Amino acid sequence: YGERHVLKDFSMTVKQGEQVTLVGRTGAGKSTVFKLLLGLYQPEAGTVTIGGVKVGDITDRERRTCIGCVEQHFSRVPGTVLEQITLGDPQITGEMAKDAAALAGIDAAIRALPEGYDTVCTEGLFSQGEWQLLSIARAAVADPPVMILDEATSSIDTHTEAIVQAGMDALMTGRTV
């Protein structure tokens, strides 16, 4: 960040199928690692690889099929509920989106909307927990083998957290997390 280095002499290897948790105080660099893994930040020194490929060499289209992410706040895009899940990717079918929503546990809530998956998303359409479930569906839809979770339940109450955790448990099955 500017002149301040957040990560120094940091090295981490995660084997296929492992689930690893980074723990540390605020500002320790957890979200920075998250953004480095997603290719949103470029390292000033060293390399970040996934499956032996430098993250910076992975195209945006390829990245979505190999890495899914669930952040602590859902980033809504203009459009329908379906478009929130597909992000307009023509390779993701409506059926794939519905399967991902079912995996996340949000399919019934979507189907209950006036226009179902074709309902235009607005601020108050979903509860905070339902937005997080939609985020899980978005991450799962391309069936990536690697999943990155950045404090995905930090902004919801404990009852809702249990519901979202069930969706995340389904999401993490068989993946590197």
Side-chain angles (χ1 to χ4, degrees):
Y1 295 103
E3 297 296 316
R4 183 173 162 248
H5 291 267
V6 177
L7 300 171
K8 297 176 196 163
D9 299 321
F10 178 80
S11 180
M12 177 174 80
T13 300
V14 179
K15 294 184 174 111
Q16 184 176 350
E18 282 187 324
Q19 293 185 6
V20 175
T21 303
L22 296 180
V23 179
R25 61 175 170 68
T26 300
K30 299 179 301 292
S31 292
T32 299
V33 170
F34 176 83
K35 290 177 176 147
L36 284 164
L37 288 169
L38 289 172
L40 300 174
Y41 289 172
Q42 297 303 315
E44 290 180 6
T47 58
V48 178
T49 62
I50 294 182
V53 178
K54 287 184 180 179
V55 172
D57 292 343
I58 301 171
T59 67
D60 288 342
R61 181 171 294 279
E62 293 170 329
R63 189 172 289 119
R64 186 148 193 226
T65 62
C66 68
I67 308 168
C69 66
V70 180
E71 297 181 73
Q72 56 185 295
H73 300 289
F74 184 78
S75 298
R76 197 173 73 234
V77 297
T80 65
V81 174
L82 181 64
E83 291 167 321
Q84 302 306 309
I85 298 170
T86 67
L87 293 175
D89 186 338
Q91 294 185 349
I92 297 175
T93 66
E95 195 60 37
M96 291 167 69
K98 290 172 185 174
D99 289 347
L103 173 99
I106 187 75
D107 180 64
I110 295 170
R111 289 182 188 276
L113 294 171
E115 296 179 55
Y117 282 83
D118 294 323
T119 302
V120 174
C121 277
T122 57
E123 183 68 33
L125 187 63
F126 292 117
S127 69
Q128 182 66 35
E130 289 170 327
W131 285 116
Q132 282 303 92
L133 294 174
L134 201 59
S135 183
I136 291 168
R138 179 187 283 175
V141 72
D143 197 25
V146 176
M147 197 59 57
I148 300 172
L149 312 173
D150 187 18
E151 299 187 45
T153 60
S154 67
S155 61
I156 54 179
D157 62 79
T158 54
H159 171 72
T160 305
E161 181 178 357
I163 296 166
V164 172
Q165 188 61 52
M168 288 197 317
D169 288 346
L171 175 69
M172 294 186 304
T173 301
R175 300 183 202 280
T176 304
V177 182

